[in-house]
């Protein structure tokens, strides 16, 4: 049963590549292998209507999470990559972590979601 007093996780996603292409989010908990596409805790799909996506996630328990997301420019459900596996679709990670020579870790991307910390602002790369 959902806790009616629990605040939703609010997401503000900026720097979109398109005002209408869907944004796919993989959400990971502490027990998931981040950022494996096969070990995602939950998946979300949101369609923006403008230059910024403001949305909420209401089906999570408070806790520690990390997100990997991308904007699906061709709407095929897969992130497009170049020949050295760098994403061609706009992408981002929670905590605005960046790719270096490898993907960021869960610790780089983790956010605390609770009644006081429930806003995540993310800028697409």
């Amino acid at each position: 049963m959902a806790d009616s007093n629990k605040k939703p996780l609010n997401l503000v996603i900026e720097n979109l590549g398109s005002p209408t292409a869907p944004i796919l989010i993989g959400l990971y908990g502490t027990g998931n292998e981040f950022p494996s596409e096969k070990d995602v805790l939950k998946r979300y799909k949101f369609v923006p209507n403008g230059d910024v996506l403001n949305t909420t996630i209401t089906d999570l328990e408070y806790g520690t999470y990390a997100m990997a997301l991308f904007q699906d420019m061709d709407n095929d459900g897969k992130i497009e990559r170049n020949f050295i596996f760098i994403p061609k679709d706009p992408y981002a990670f929670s905590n605005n972590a960046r790719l270096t020579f490898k993907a960021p870790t869960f610790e780089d991307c983790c956010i605390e979601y609770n009644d006081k910390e429930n806003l995540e602002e993310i800028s697409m790369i």
Side-chain angles (χ1 to χ4, degrees):
M1 186 166 156
D3 181 353
S4 61
N5 295 322
K6 187 174 70 171
K7 295 179 180 177
L9 177 58
N10 297 294
L11 300 178
V12 178
I13 303 172
E14 302 175 314
N15 200 30
L16 303 180
S18 161
T20 58
I23 295 172
L24 280 68
I25 300 174
L27 184 119
Y28 301 80
T30 55
N32 300 103
E33 184 183 333
F34 181 85
S36 168
E37 293 180 32
K38 295 177 180 157
D39 194 23
V40 176
L41 178 64
K42 293 183 180 263
R43 294 181 194 275
Y44 299 95
K45 181 178 181 179
F46 299 105
V47 178
N49 185 13
D51 295 334
V52 175
L53 173 67
N54 289 289
T55 193
T56 59
I57 294 176
T58 59
D59 66 344
L60 284 179
E61 296 300 320
Y62 287 152
T64 303
Y65 298 99
M67 290 181 261
L69 53 146
F70 73 97
Q71 190 163 24
D72 193 3
M73 300 299 279
D74 60 4
N75 206 16
D76 68 352
K78 297 182 238 168
I79 190 164
E80 302 301 319
R81 300 176 189 272
N82 67 17
F83 69 99
I84 57 171
F85 300 104
I86 302 289
K88 291 167 56 174
D89 286 326
Y91 68 95
F93 298 97
S94 50
N95 212 18
N96 284 305
R98 301 283 185 177
L99 285 175
T100 54
F101 294 106
K102 59 184 175 74
T105 66
F106 182 88
E107 290 74 21
D108 294 332
C109 301
C110 73
I111 59 168
E112 292 299 324
Y113 166 48
N114 55 53
D115 63 344
K116 292 183 177 35
E117 298 180 46
N118 50 34
L119 171 65
E120 179 64 9
E121 296 175 305
I122 300 172
S123 183
M124 300 296 274
I125 300 169

